[in-house]
């Protein structure tokens, strides 16, 4: 028994229902957004449970923790995302099962990823993390630095930057949150207008967590990252 079994199923169903409502009412979506289940601190049994309910994309924020989980037997092979601050000396532990790094936040990481990609002939897919709220505790480049960063990223062929990622503001009103997410969307579009990113490739907006993913979806999120809303409080 256990409440977690029931609640993971129900939580996933509820989030998926809200995702389809949000995208039906929003013309801007050309394809269905992706739900990434944030499994940090969640044990493999509960990850397996989510797999059994059809969840495919999972995210971890610490390399060490991900390493303990990635080789566990699961009902289906997850598509792993990385969402935490990434130290360059840990890159050697990452492998091709990481489909997207959401936390590209500095040139030294870009450089190190590129070197690691050269070494093993691998193309990393990544999102540029933007600190829209200017919160000093958060990683990410400022919106003003984004064009410069993306221009630089073109010189690193082993890293494909597919879009932008941000974290909303804690304890913000819905209106404040909406502004954060619309700012990220406008930033993506202006990077394309400026010519520092290609329209066909630079499509992703990773934004929205348990408390604000519906607002994010209505502002055009293509990826939402939900942890406690699926697995319960950490
Ligand atoms: C923990 C985390 C999430 C998920 O947060 P919840 O509030 O549990 O949904 C999403 N994104 C990042 C970057 C995180 O660190």
């Amino acid at each position: 028994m256990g409440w977690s079994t029931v609640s993971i199923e129900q939580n996933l169903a509820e989030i998926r229902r809200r995702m389809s409502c949000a995208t039906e009412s929003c013309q801007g979506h050309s394809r269905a957004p992706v739900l990434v289940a944030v499994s940090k601190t969640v044990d493999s049994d509960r990850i397996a449970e989510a797999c059994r309910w059809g969840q495919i994309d999972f995210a971890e924020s610490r390399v060490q923790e991900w390493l303990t989980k990635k080789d566990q037997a699961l009902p289906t092979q997850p598509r792993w995302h990385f969402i935490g601050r990434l130290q360059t000396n840990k890159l050697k532990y990452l492998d091709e099962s990481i489909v997207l790094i959401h936390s590209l936040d500095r040139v030294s990481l870009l450089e190190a990823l590129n070197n690691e990609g050269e070494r093993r002939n691998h193309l990393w897919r990544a999102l540029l993390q933007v600190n829209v709220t200017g919160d000093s505790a958060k990683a990410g480049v400022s919106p003003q630095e984004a064009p410069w960063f993306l221009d630089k990223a073109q010189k690193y062929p082993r890293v494909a930057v597919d879009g932008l990622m941000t974290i909303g503001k804690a304890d913000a009103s819905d209106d404040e949150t909406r502004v954060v997410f619309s700012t990220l969307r406008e930033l993506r579009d202006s990077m394309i207008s400026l010519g520092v990113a290609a329209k066909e490739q630079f499509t992703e907006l990773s934004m929205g967590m348990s408390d604000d993913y519906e607002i994010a979806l209505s502002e055009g999120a293509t990826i939402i990252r939900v942890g406690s809303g699926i697995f319960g409080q950490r």
Side-chain angles (χ1 to χ4, degrees):
M1 55 159 281
W3 57 270
S4 65
T5 301
V6 173
S7 81
I8 289 173
E9 175 191 12
Q10 290 180 343
N11 290 343
L12 281 171
E14 178 62 17
I15 295 164
R16 288 174 188 149
R17 189 186 66 74
R18 292 187 192 182
M19 287 174 78
S20 59
C21 292
T23 49
E24 273 161 24
S25 64
C26 178
Q27 312 274 319
H29 285 277
S30 49
R31 60 185 165 80
V34 171
L35 170 61
V36 173
V38 177
S39 52
K40 61 189 183 199
T41 77
V42 174
D43 63 30
S44 294
D45 287 348
R46 292 195 297 151
I47 296 174
E49 192 61 46
C51 288
R52 277 192 284 276
W53 295 114
Q55 184 58 35
I56 299 163
D57 291 88
F58 291 86
E60 289 287 334
S61 60
R62 287 162 185 265
V63 173
Q64 228 60 39
E65 185 177 344
W66 172 71
L67 287 173
T68 68
K69 292 176 183 174
K70 77 177 183 90
D71 293 326
Q72 303 267 341
L74 291 167
T76 52
Q77 169 61 38
R79 288 165 44 89
W80 289 109
H81 297 241
F82 196 83
I83 59 173
R85 186 165 171 94
L86 200 44
Q87 289 170 283
T88 53
N89 62 356
K90 300 270 172 69
L91 296 185
K92 56 180 181 286
Y93 301 116
L94 299 187
D95 66 27
E96 288 69 28
S97 66
I98 300 277
V99 294
L100 189 63
I101 296 167
H102 296 228
S103 45
L104 177 59
D105 60 356
R106 57 200 194 278
V107 173
S108 58
L109 179 57
L110 182 61
E111 219 165 78
L113 276 171
N114 193 69
N115 290 342
E116 189 62 28
E118 289 285 349
R119 203 174 65 77
R120 50 169 117 167
N121 192 22
H122 178 64
L123 174 70
W124 304 102
R125 310 212 75 95
L127 305 178
L128 175 60
Q129 183 170 352
V130 182
N131 189 350
V132 174
T133 59
D135 176 350
S136 62
K138 261 185 223 154
V141 303
S142 69
Q144 294 74 22
E145 288 171 312
W148 165 83
F149 190 99
L150 290 168
D151 188 50
K152 224 171 166 59
Q154 294 177 0
K155 299 182 190 84
Y156 296 91
R158 298 296 177 168
V159 184
V161 186
D162 291 341
L164 302 173
M165 177 274 221
T166 201
I167 299 173
K169 201 171 173 189
D171 305 315
S173 69
D174 286 2
D175 287 345
E176 287 174 295
T177 298
R178 189 172 290 284
V179 170
V180 173
F181 295 152
S182 63
T183 300
L184 197 74
R185 188 192 62 240
E186 287 160 10
L187 191 63
R188 177 195 60 189
D189 297 346
S190 67
M191 294 305 99
I192 293 163
S193 318
L194 277 174
V196 291
K199 191 177 201 296
E200 312 71 46
Q201 186 196 340
F202 201 69
T203 51
E204 305 293 350
L205 289 176
S206 168
M207 56 190 197
M209 318 200 319
S210 298
D211 290 336
D212 54 16
Y213 70 85
E214 284 180 287
I215 299 173
L217 287 167
S218 70
E219 291 300 331
T222 63
I223 303 173
I224 58 173
R225 311 176 307 267
V226 181
S228 49
I230 296 171
F231 297 109
Q233 288 303 323
R234 282 184 291 277

